[in-house]
Amino acid sequence: MSVLLDRLLSGDVRALARSISLVENEAPGYEQLLESLPARAGTRVVGITGPPGAGKSTLVNALISAILRRGQRVAVIAVDPSSPFNFGALLGDRIRMANHFSDPDVYIRSMASRGALGGLSPKILEVADIIKAAGYDYLFIETVGVGQSEVEIAGIADTTVVVVVPEAGDEIQTMKAGLMEIAAIFAVNKADRPKADEFVRNLRLLAHSRATAGWETPVIKTVALRDEGVEALMQALDAHRDHIHDNADRKSLLLAEKAWQLIQYKRMREVDRQALLAEIRAQMDGPGFNLYRIVRRYS
Amino acid sequence: MSVLLDRLLSGDVRALARSISLVENEAPGYEQLLESLPARAGTRVVGITGPPGAGKSTLVNALISAILRRGQRVAVIAVDPSSPFNFGALLGDRIRMANHFSDPDVYIRSMASRGALGGLSPKILEVADIIKAAGYDYLFIETVGVGQSEVEIAGIADTTVVVVVPEAGDEIQTMKAGLMEIAAIFAVNKADRPKADEFVRNLRLLAHSRATAGWETPVIKTVALRDEGVEALMQALDAHRDHIHDNADRKSLLLAEKAWQLIQYKRMREVDRQALLAEIRAQMDGPGFNLYRIVRRYS
C-alpha cells in the first residue's frame, strides 16, 4: 500500500488509475489508502454545471488548453447522470474532451452520478481526494444540470461555474436566477448569438443586486468552440481563488458537508435494501401493515 | 393519544392540525402516533412539479375546484424550497390557493423542502401519511422544479404531473425530455400562447416514442386561469390510477424508497453535526489532517 501511495503522491498516472479503481470497487485496503492521504491544498476543484446543450464539455476542453499553456496539470471528472432516473438520452451530443485524451498532463475520468443508495455518489468525493493527492493543479467536475447534481456539486467544489446560453423569455431568466444562488461565476457560452448582449446585461444587473460578502458573481462571455473568453474565465477563477483564500469558515463548512455525505454512505451501507424490500412485499397487503414499525427495526 | 388518533381518523380538522404539529416538532408520542396509523389506501397522492412560472399553484387551485364539484375532499402540501440554498426569491408571485383557504373540505399546508440534515424532508413523508389517515380523497404535493425536489417527489406520489408552458428552442425541448422521465402526465399550461399546438405535438411525439408498460404519458393542454382543460386533466389522473392499480411491484418499490429515506433520517439524526463541524475546524489546518479518519469515528 505504501508503495502505491508513494507513486500516487509522485504523480504517477498508472498509480492514480489503480488507486481510483481500488476506491471505486471498495477493494481491500481502499479505506486505509484514503486515511493515509496527506493534507494537500494545491488542487483547485472547479464545478462546471448548467443545462444540457450549454456547451460545458467544449468549455472544459478550452479550459484544459489554457491550463496546459500555463504549464500546469489538470484532471476532469465527467459525471454522468444515472439511477434512479435515466437521463442518458440527453448525453447524445456530449463532446468527450477527445482532444486531450492522450496528453500526460491531463487525466479524464467518467463517473456515475449516483451510487446504489441514491444521492450524489460518495465515490466522487473520494476520487476527487485521490486526484488531489496526485498533485494536479486543477480538477474540473462537470455535471449536467438536470435534477439535483447542480446543487450538490456546489458542496464539493471550491468554485462553481454555471454555464448558460443566451435565451429569450422571462421565465428562463427566472430559472437562471435560481442558478445564481450556486454560481460563483457565470459563463454565458455561445455569446455570439443574437441578443447575447442584452442577456448578459440582465444577468449582470441581477448579479450586482445579489452581491454579498465582497463577491459579485462575474458574468463572462465565451464562445468555447472558438476559444473566445476562455482567458477571461481563467482570470475570474483566479480572482475567486483569491477571494475565498483563508476563508476558514467556508472551508470548514464544505469539509463538514463532505464528511456528512461520507458518514451517511457508511451508515446506510449496512442496511440490507433487498431484505427491506422483501419484508415490505410480504406485509404490504396485510390489514395490519404499517411502514413505521418496519422502519424502526432498521433504524 | 388514542383519542387524537380516533379524531384524526374521523376526519376532524383540528385533530389533523394537531397531529401534523406533533410530527413536525417531533413532540413526545409522535412516533407512537405514526406507528398506530392503520393501512388506508383511499387517498390519491399526486405530485405537481415543474419550473417556476409554469402556473402550478393556479392549476392546483383549479383542480381543487374540480374535486369539490365531485363532492370530494382534498389536501395540499405546498413545498417551499429552502436550505441549503435559498430560492425564496422565485416564490414572489406564487399564488397560495387563497380561494380555498376557508373551505372545510380543503386542507392546505406549507412545508420546507429540506430538513436540517439535507435531502427532501422526511417530515413531508410523515405528514403525507397523517393526511391519508384523515381520509382525504386527494393529496397534492406541489414542488418548484428547481434543484432536486422534482426528482425526489416522484418517489412519494402515486402520480406525478409535470407542468410546463409552451416555449421555443431546441434546448428547452431537450430539458423537457428529462422531465419526461418522471412525468406520468404532462400538463401544458398557458396553452393559449402562440405556437402551443406545435409544442404539444412535439411533446406527444416524444411521449409516444417513450411509451412503456402500457402507459403513454398523456399531454394535456390547460389554461388554468380560465379553468380550461382541468376536467381532461382529472380524467388523465383517473386513467393513471386505473393503470397503476394492483401494480404490486411499483407499490413495493415506492414503499421501500420511502422506508429508506425514513431510516436514513433516523440513522443520521444521532450524528452531532455541530460536534463534527467543531472537530473539523479544530483540526483542518494541522499538518496531519485527514477527513476520512474523522469520518470513520462517526460511522
Side-chain angles (χ1 to χ4, degrees):
Chain A
M1 183 59 64
S2 72
V3 176
L4 180 61
L5 180 62
D6 288 346
R7 285 176 53 210
L8 173 66
L9 296 180
S10 76
D12 182 298
V13 174
R14 274 178 303 179
L16 173 63
R18 223 189 107 205
S19 301
I20 289 177
S21 295
L22 200 72
V23 164
E24 284 201 311
N25 301 324
E26 304 200 347
Y30 92 93
E31 285 174 315
Q32 195 193 333
L33 176 67
L34 288 169
E35 292 183 16
S36 306
L37 298 177
R40 275 197 171 185
T43 307
R44 301 213 50 217
V45 182
V46 178
I48 306 274
T49 192
K56 292 179 293 299
S57 293
T58 317
L59 192 59
V60 169
N61 217 12
L63 285 166
I64 290 172
S65 300
I67 290 164
L68 292 175
R69 281 196 298 271
R70 290 181 175 193
Q72 293 181 306
R73 299 169 70 220
V74 55
V76 179
I77 299 176
V79 180
D80 286 327
S82 52
S83 164
F85 302 105
N86 178 17
F87 294 105
L90 300 179
L91 300 180
D93 61 349
R94 193 162 177 180
I95 298 164
R96 278 295 180 203
M97 291 154 273
N99 297 2
H100 297 292
F101 252 118
S102 59
D103 194 309
D105 288 330
V106 181
Y107 185 81
I108 297 172
R109 182 100 180 191
S110 285
M111 294 186 71
S113 66
R114 282 163 170 269
L117 310 183
L120 193 69
S121 169
K123 293 295 146 197
I124 295 173
L125 304 176
E126 293 171 349
V127 168
D129 279 328
I130 296 281
I131 287 172
K132 284 156 98 166
Y136 286 88
D137 298 291
Y138 285 85
L139 166 60
F140 292 108
I141 302 180
E142 184 202 337
T143 58
V144 178
V146 174
Q148 61 188 34
S149 57
E150 77 272 27
V151 173
E152 285 176 334
I153 209 68
I156 306 172
D158 300 317
T159 301
T160 298
V161 178
V162 174
V163 185
V164 292
V165 289
E167 273 171 299
D170 288 349
E171 189 173 346
I172 301 298
Q173 297 280 5
T174 314
M175 290 188 75
K176 299 273 158 75
L179 293 173
M180 181 70 76
E181 302 283 336
I182 61 165
I185 298 169
F186 253 113
V188 178
N189 196 30
K190 307 183 187 178
D192 50 351
R193 283 192 180 178
K195 295 208 175 177
D197 287 338
E198 186 187 335
F199 181 79
V200 167
R201 197 161 50 239
N202 286 337
L203 264 190
R204 283 185 178 147
L205 282 171
L206 190 61
H208 186 68
S209 72
R210 296 193 176 199
T212 45
W215 187 254
E216 179 176 323
T217 300
V219 179
I220 312 291
K221 291 166 70 173
T222 61
V223 186
L225 265 178
R226 294 205 306 265
D227 219 29
E228 289 174 22
V230 177
E231 278 302 326
L233 184 52
M234 287 298 293
Q235 282 163 27
L237 285 172
D238 290 344
H240 191 250
R241 177 196 58 208
D242 294 343
H243 169 66
I244 61 174
H245 184 66
D246 286 338
N247 186 337
D249 226 42
R250 183 178 192 281
K251 185 180 165 194
S252 63
L253 283 172
L254 285 179
L255 284 169
E257 176 59 33
K258 193 164 125 179
W260 186 265
Q261 290 182 34
L262 292 166
I263 293 164
Q264 182 166 281
Y265 173 71
K266 282 177 190 289
R267 287 190 166 218
M268 292 304 282
R269 200 169 45 174
E270 301 150 21
V271 180
D272 185 339
R273 203 172 175 103
Q274 291 310 314
L276 176 67
L277 182 58
E279 191 168 345
I280 287 169
R281 278 202 177 129
Q283 294 185 24
M284 69 183 184
D285 291 323
F289 175 69
N290 179 294
L291 194 67
Y292 294 93
R293 290 200 292 270
I294 295 177
V295 164
R296 174 152 47 90
R297 274 187 294 99
Y298 283 83
S299 301
Chain B
M1 184 57 65
S2 72
V3 176
L4 180 61
L5 180 62
D6 288 346
R7 286 176 52 209
L8 173 65
L9 296 179
S10 76
D12 183 299
V13 174
R14 273 178 304 179
L16 174 62
R18 223 190 106 205
S19 300
I20 290 177
S21 295
L22 199 72
V23 164
E24 283 201 313
N25 301 324
E26 304 199 346
Y30 92 93
E31 285 173 316
Q32 195 193 332
L33 177 66
L34 288 169
E35 291 182 16
S36 308
L37 297 177
R40 277 197 170 185
T43 307
R44 300 213 51 218
V45 183
V46 178
I48 306 273
T49 192
K56 291 179 295 299
S57 294
T58 317
L59 192 60
V60 169
N61 216 13
L63 286 166
I64 291 172
S65 299
I67 291 163
L68 292 175
R69 281 195 299 270
R70 290 180 175 194
Q72 293 180 306
R73 299 169 69 219
V74 54
V76 180
I77 298 176
V79 180
D80 286 328
S82 51
S83 163
F85 302 106
N86 178 18
F87 294 106
L90 299 179
L91 300 179
D93 61 348
R94 192 164 178 178
I95 296 164
R96 275 291 177 209
M97 291 151 273
N99 298 2
H100 297 292
F101 252 118
S102 58
D103 194 309
D105 289 330
V106 181
Y107 185 80
I108 298 172
R109 182 100 179 192
S110 285
M111 294 186 72
S113 65
R114 282 164 170 270
L117 309 184
L120 194 68
S121 170
K123 292 296 145 198
I124 295 173
L125 305 175
E126 293 171 348
V127 168
D129 279 328
I130 296 281
I131 287 172
K132 284 156 99 166
Y136 286 88
D137 298 290
Y138 286 85
L139 167 59
F140 292 109
I141 303 180
E142 184 203 338
T143 58
V144 178
V146 175
Q148 63 187 35
S149 57
E150 77 271 27
V151 173
E152 285 176 335
I153 210 68
I156 306 173
D158 300 316
T159 302
T160 298
V161 179
V162 174
V163 186
V164 293
V165 289
E167 272 170 300
D170 287 349
E171 189 173 349
I172 300 299
Q173 298 280 8
T174 314
M175 290 188 76
K176 299 275 157 73
L179 293 172
M180 181 71 74
E181 303 282 336
I182 60 165
I185 298 168
F186 253 113
V188 177
N189 196 30
K190 306 183 186 177
D192 51 350
R193 283 190 179 178
K195 297 209 173 175
D197 287 337
E198 186 189 334
F199 181 79
V200 166
R201 196 162 50 241
N202 286 337
L203 264 190
R204 283 185 178 147
L205 282 171
L206 191 60
H208 186 68
S209 71
R210 297 195 176 198
T212 47
W215 186 255
E216 179 177 323
T217 300
V219 179
I220 313 291
K221 291 167 68 174
T222 61
V223 186
L225 265 177
R226 293 204 306 265
D227 219 28
E228 288 174 24
V230 176
E231 278 304 326
L233 184 52
M234 286 298 293
Q235 282 162 27
L237 286 172
D238 290 345
H240 191 251
R241 177 196 57 210
D242 294 342
H243 169 68
I244 61 173
H245 184 66
D246 286 338
N247 185 337
D249 226 43
R250 183 178 192 281
K251 185 179 164 194
S252 63
L253 284 172
L254 284 179
L255 283 169
E257 176 58 33
K258 193 163 123 178
W260 186 265
Q261 290 181 34
L262 291 166
I263 293 164
Q264 183 166 280
Y265 174 71
K266 284 180 190 288
R267 287 192 167 218
M268 293 303 283
R269 200 169 46 174
E270 300 151 20
V271 180
D272 185 339
R273 204 174 173 101
Q274 290 312 312
L276 176 66
L277 182 58
E279 192 169 342
I280 287 169
R281 279 203 175 125
Q283 294 186 26
M284 68 182 184
D285 289 324
F289 176 68
N290 179 294
L291 195 66
Y292 295 92
R293 289 200 293 269
I294 295 177
V295 164
R296 174 153 46 92
R297 274 188 292 99
Y298 283 84
S299 301

